[in-house]
Amino acid sequence: GLTRLLTSLSIWGWGSLGLVLFLVTFGPFAIFYFAFYILCFVGGGFVVTLLFGKSNSEKYLEQCEHSFLPCTSVGIRKCIEEMKCEARPIKIDRRLTGANIIDEPLQQVIQFSLRDYVQYWYYTLSDDESFLLEIRQALQYALVQFSARSKETDWQPYFTTRLVDDFGTHLRVFRKAQQRIAEKGDQMKDQAEELVDTFFEVEVEMEKEVCRDLVCTSPKDEEGFLRDLCEVLLYILLPPGDFQNKIMRYFVREILSRGILLPLVNQLSDPDYINQYVIWMIRDSNCNYEAFMNIIKLSDNIGELEAVKDKASEELQYLRSLDTAGDDINTIKNQINSLLYVIKVCDSRIQRLQSGKEIDTVKLAANFGKLCTVPLDHILVDNVALQFFMDYMQQTGGQAHLFFWMTVEGYRVTAQQQLEVLQSRQKDGKHQTNQTKGLLRAAAFGVYEQYLSEKASPRVNIDDNLVAKLAETLNHEDPTPEIFDDIQRKVYELMLRDERFYPSFKQNVLYVRMLAELDMLKDPSFRGSDDGEGESFNGSPTGSINLSLDDLSNVPSDETVQLHAYISDTGVCNDHGKTYALYAITVHRRNPNSEETWKTYRRYSDFHDFHMRITEQFENLANILKLPGKKTFNNMDREFLEKRKKDLNAYLQLLLNPEMMKASPALAHYVYDFLENKAYSKGKGDFARKMDTFVNPLRNSMRNVSNAVKSLPDSLAEGMTKMSDNMGKMSERLGQDIKQSFFKVPPLIQKTYSDPDHCRVAAPIDDNVDDNIPLRVMLLLMDEVFDLKERNQWLRRNIKNLLQQLIRATYGDTINRKIVDHVDWMTSPEQVADAVKRFRDAFWPNGILAETVPRRDKAIRMRTRVAGKTKLLEVMPDELKHIIGAETTRKGILRVFEMFQHSQLNKRMVYVFLERFLETLFPQNKFPELFSKLHSRSKQMQRYKQRLSTQAPSIQKR
């Protein structure tokens, strides 16, 4: 208590002391001044607080008013006026590529795109033009950048290498997918869907890093891919400021992706569009009946057959409704018979496909019985036949005999030409006798050591006395071109008569396949029962129907029919400057109930073609029928024409002899076809004509060696060095090439090997091929289209030599320059402008946006497919069949056509071409990595990686 008292007294004491001191210092009025100051401070703070709160409240109320209440009309008008005052005119430079012929159609495309994809909805929102001008300016800037990049790009590798490689890879993937489906043999699943799935399985195995299944099969993913791709292109082509403008970027992206690229891709990948384009490209080629019937008989699509049948029935109904008389009635009857036959063929084919009783023609022919006989001497000089005989001789172990025969043929041709060159040089005063004979001796010894010596492996087993005599001749006499003739003759007789070789070859399935490739295999016709179950063979050597339908309906089967014909007159005709002789043939046909007489007109070339056709099919006729020979000069003399008329009459009488017709019943079909009152259709693919037209490529290559020697330079040392290299190693190289192709000698050093069928085709095709653009392109396409790598390498090497000779003979060393010039022409302003105009006219015909073309009726699309296949088969040259075989040619062409009948696969090819185009145009922008990322969500790719991950541990354990 005392402490508290002392504390309170101390406070009051100090307070009183302070007050006294304040009053003494400031005076008694200081208290009033102090109170006044305090009052002013409090009042001022109150006033400031009041004014600040009022202003903040007004601002808050104004914000609330703008947030929740509609704007006043005065503010809108004021805002619009300010925007109009600030707007500045945007100047558009209409120059895009620097070429007026390109800029004009491009400006129209831009204008039409904005009009039809933006303006129609934008003007409902605003009348301001600045936004549209900004979009137009952005598009033009992108086109300017694109044009500048295009001018700096070398397009020659893209068109001559990458484009061809990508097409070849696509075809290889398709071929492997077909093979896998054939191996599975599952007929329960949807073939088209299974083919697409299998195709992308093979693609991911071949590409390793990319698979385009989602882009090609899912419309949603396809649109997303195009959006991403267009956005990347805009990033590259637009200025940074325009690209950052999201609204404008999205507008341009949608116009490019959904308005232009997506419809273009859909059109290019539509099978019906491709089929129509194929027909348009070869519109000048007339449809051939034989090709058409081949397509019908080979078709495995019931929709195609039903479409053709319905159209034939419709035409049949129309013809039967016509009221005709006189000569027209015969024409109508023939047309009706033709249509009835087509309907019958379609019905038979449909029933066979529905019942699953598909027939392998090769197996059917092999088990049927008698086949056409091709002599051994014809086989040895025909490309296609020789490769099958080679395969058979390899199986039986007699390949050494065949290779010896071929090598001697090459030696003889080369030796004869070398001696001719030697004789010509001796006449000119140049003496090279010893050196040339030394080279021939070296070549002859090479053949002897390769096939006849004790060290030869394999060795030709022949009479030891002949071999010893040959060795003695080689050691003591100068070699001649005929030095091996005796032994070669013995080897030929051995191959001809030994049951292991040619006689057994005629009973082997390889012989049947050879006939199919030569187009000499008789095909099942449809002349059986009406239900289509019966099969028989027609007499056609071409594997198809060579007679017209009306001929088939009129060919008599009764032996009582008698046919007589003779040449009643002859004359000379002039057609477009060409003069030729024409023979009038009077034909009498007598039936038990009727008799007909007519005249038909034939040229000597028709007789010649007819003779080749029947002697090819009926070998016994070649020794009986002798056609008058050709004459090059003075073949229009009256005396000569009368003599030929007499000889041709004798030929006809011998041909129409009843005994001959009875001995060869199938001959009647050809005779009736030749004597029918109509234009004679010359046969194609005749075996005898092949012999006259094509020479063994082995001989050609040997002749090329000699031709090279003829053009030796004057420098004797250099010339003889080249001749020594050619002749000294000729036989050894030939033998080694054949051995490497057929004996499969393993290399001394094992190389890392990857299956070429599971790789892209972009790798070098062959030595000395990549530098020759046309040879590379043709060889690559022939490899993939006709699957030549599955055949023996001898055929492929000969095809390569033949193509080289063809290219040299046609263009010489300037072919690459011509191709480069053609690529330059394709990318010239005129051609680019033409392409832009075609694009403009296709999308905006007459300046109006084209409506979506309605999908054509299924029947029309199916008939278009049949027409497209018929056109492709018709346009294929016979020379191609002679080189690689008719069956291989037919299968290859139909494989390519079938590949284009799947829109998903067509999309894949279009996108591959587009990706390679962008990679070529922008080489610095890492587009391959970008595409790998864009396709990374592929389901097939994920499955492939899973399989690899599961296989990796097992491989490591091994």
Side-chain angles (χ1 to χ4, degrees), residues 818-918:
K818 290 180 179 294
I819 291 179
V820 172
D821 292 341
H822 185 72
V823 172
D824 293 339
W825 173 80
M826 291 172 58
T827 56
S828 64
E830 293 79 8
Q831 294 303 310
V832 174
D834 187 60
V836 175
K837 290 177 182 178
R838 289 199 300 267
F839 175 80
R840 177 200 62 191
D841 296 338
F843 274 76
W844 292 277
N846 299 322
I848 301 174
L849 182 64
E851 297 181 359
T852 303
V853 180
R855 189 173 177 81
R856 300 200 305 168
D857 182 68
K858 180 181 178 181
I860 298 177
R861 288 185 278 116
M862 291 294 104
R863 287 195 292 270
T864 305
R865 286 182 56 168
V866 174
K869 285 192 283 188
T870 304
K871 285 275 191 179
L872 282 178
L873 279 187
E874 174 64 20
V875 80
M876 284 299 106
D878 291 336
E879 289 77 8
L880 186 63
K881 300 177 184 178
H882 300 163
I883 297 173
I884 61 177
E887 187 70 14
T888 298
T889 302
R890 187 160 44 240
K891 288 182 178 179
I893 297 303
L894 294 181
R895 179 188 297 119
V896 174
F897 185 86
E898 180 63 26
M899 181 182 69
F900 287 114
Q901 304 310 307
H902 305 273
S903 58
Q904 300 96 327
L905 308 189
N906 295 337
K907 282 188 177 182
R908 188 261 177 193
M909 187 163 58
V910 172
Y911 283 124
V912 168
F913 289 164
L914 177 61
E915 291 172 11
R916 298 296 178 266
F917 175 82
L918 295 177

Side-chain angles (χ1 to χ4, degrees), residues 103-242:
D103 293 347
E104 181 180 353
L106 267 181
Q107 288 289 353
Q108 291 179 344
V109 170
I110 295 175
Q111 179 183 349
F112 294 155
S113 300
L114 293 176
R115 182 195 67 188
D116 295 326
Y117 294 114
V118 179
Q119 291 179 3
Y120 81 95
W121 59 263
Y122 177 75
Y123 282 143
T124 62
L125 303 178
S126 173
D127 295 331
D128 183 44
E129 299 283 346
S130 60
F131 176 72
L132 298 177
L133 293 177
E134 290 285 352
I135 292 182
R136 187 185 188 107
Q137 192 176 33
L139 285 174
Q140 292 194 174
Y141 184 88
L143 287 174
V144 170
Q145 297 299 315
F146 183 86
S147 174
R149 290 288 186 97
S150 299
K151 293 177 182 178
E152 298 172 358
T153 303
D154 180 12
W155 292 107
Q156 183 264 331
Y158 173 76
F159 285 107
T160 61
T161 302
R162 304 193 72 177
L163 207 64
V164 180
D165 289 341
D166 289 331
F167 178 80
T169 301
H170 186 84
L171 184 57
R172 175 177 294 182
V173 174
F174 180 78
R175 176 167 52 83
K176 299 300 291 183
Q178 279 188 324
Q179 291 176 359
R180 287 194 183 181
I181 292 178
E183 292 171 358
K184 293 179 182 178
D186 190 358
Q187 302 293 335
M188 300 302 293
K189 296 183 179 180
D190 184 3
Q191 290 289 334
E193 182 179 352
E194 184 181 5
L195 177 62
V196 172
D197 293 339
T198 308
F199 178 91
F200 288 110
E201 286 181 6
V202 179
E203 182 197 20
V204 72
E205 294 175 2
M206 191 170 293
E207 296 281 359
K208 307 296 182 184
E209 300 294 335
V210 175
C211 185
R212 303 168 182 85
D213 55 337
L214 283 182
V215 175
C216 299
T217 58
S218 171
K220 182 178 179 181
D221 290 294
E222 183 181 12
E223 292 179 5
F225 172 78
L226 289 176
R227 287 196 187 98
D228 294 339
L229 185 59
C230 290
E231 192 150 357
V232 172
L233 292 176
L234 292 177
Y235 173 78
I236 296 174
L237 299 175
L238 288 180
D242 291 343

Side-chain angles (χ1 to χ4, degrees), residues 479-497:
T480 63
E482 299 80 16
I483 192 171
F484 293 103
D485 282 5
D486 292 339
I487 297 181
Q488 186 190 31
R489 194 177 300 109
K490 287 291 184 182
V491 170
Y492 177 83
E493 292 178 359
L494 180 65
M495 292 190 295
L496 179 65
R497 307 188 185 284

Side-chain angles (χ1 to χ4, degrees), residues 369-521:
K370 185 177 179 181
L371 298 170
C372 301
T373 300
V374 182
L376 179 60
D377 55 343
H378 286 179
I379 291 176
L380 293 175
V381 295
D382 183 78
N383 257 339
V384 179
L386 183 57
Q387 61 170 314
F388 287 96
F389 190 55
M390 277 185 177
D391 292 338
Y392 176 77
M393 293 295 281
Q394 180 186 2
Q395 294 177 6
T396 58
Q399 61 269 33
H401 300 79
L402 178 59
F403 296 158
F404 170 78
W405 188 92
M406 293 169 58
T407 305
V408 171
E409 284 291 295
Y411 168 81
R412 181 188 299 109
V413 172
T414 305
Q416 288 174 350
Q417 295 187 358
Q418 292 298 321
L419 293 177
E420 291 176 2
V421 174
L422 179 61
Q423 292 175 2
S424 64
R425 287 182 175 273
Q426 286 178 344
K427 291 180 180 180
D428 296 337
K430 301 177 181 179
H431 302 283
Q432 304 171 9
T433 305
N434 294 333
Q435 291 177 331
T436 303
K437 291 182 178 180
L439 293 174
L440 290 176
R441 186 185 303 278
F445 266 108
V447 176
Y448 175 82
E449 293 293 334
Q450 187 75 35
Y451 296 103
L452 301 174
S453 67
E454 296 293 337
K455 301 178 182 179
S457 178
R459 183 174 182 270
V460 175
N461 295 321
I462 204 68
D463 189 357
D464 292 338
N465 294 329
L466 289 176
V467 177
K469 181 179 178 182
L470 173 64
E472 183 71 17
T473 304
L474 288 174
N475 290 325
H476 298 91
E477 298 180 12
D478 293 332
T480 63
E482 299 80 16
I483 192 171
F484 293 103
D485 282 5
D486 292 339
I487 297 181
Q488 186 190 31
R489 194 177 300 109
K490 287 291 184 182
V491 170
Y492 177 83
E493 292 178 359
L494 180 65
M495 292 190 295
L496 179 65
R497 307 188 185 284
D498 195 315
E499 287 296 329
R500 297 174 299 165
F501 304 140
Y502 177 68
S504 298
F505 173 62
K506 292 192 295 184
Q507 307 299 323
N508 193 276
V509 68
L510 287 174
Y511 183 80
V512 183
R513 292 178 181 171
M514 181 195 74
L515 294 179
E517 293 293 356
L518 295 174
D519 227 359
M520 297 175 66
L521 184 62

Side-chain angles (χ1 to χ4, degrees), residues 275 278-280 282-299 304-305 308 342 684 861-877 881 889-890 893-894 897-898 901:
N275 296 339
V278 168
I279 295 174
W280 177 84
I282 50 181
R283 60 191 179 278
D284 295 333
S285 172
N286 296 323
C287 284
N288 179 272
Y289 172 77
E290 179 183 344
F292 171 72
M293 292 308 302
N294 270 335
I295 292 300
I296 296 299
K297 296 166 73 174
L298 293 173
S299 175
E304 293 179 1
L305 297 170
V308 173
V342 172
K684 295 182 178 181
R861 288 185 278 116
M862 291 294 104
R863 287 195 292 270
T864 305
R865 286 182 56 168
V866 174
K869 285 192 283 188
T870 304
K871 285 275 191 179
L872 282 178
L873 279 187
E874 174 64 20
V875 80
M876 284 299 106
K881 300 177 184 178
T889 302
R890 187 160 44 240
I893 297 303
L894 294 181
F897 185 86
E898 180 63 26
Q901 304 310 307

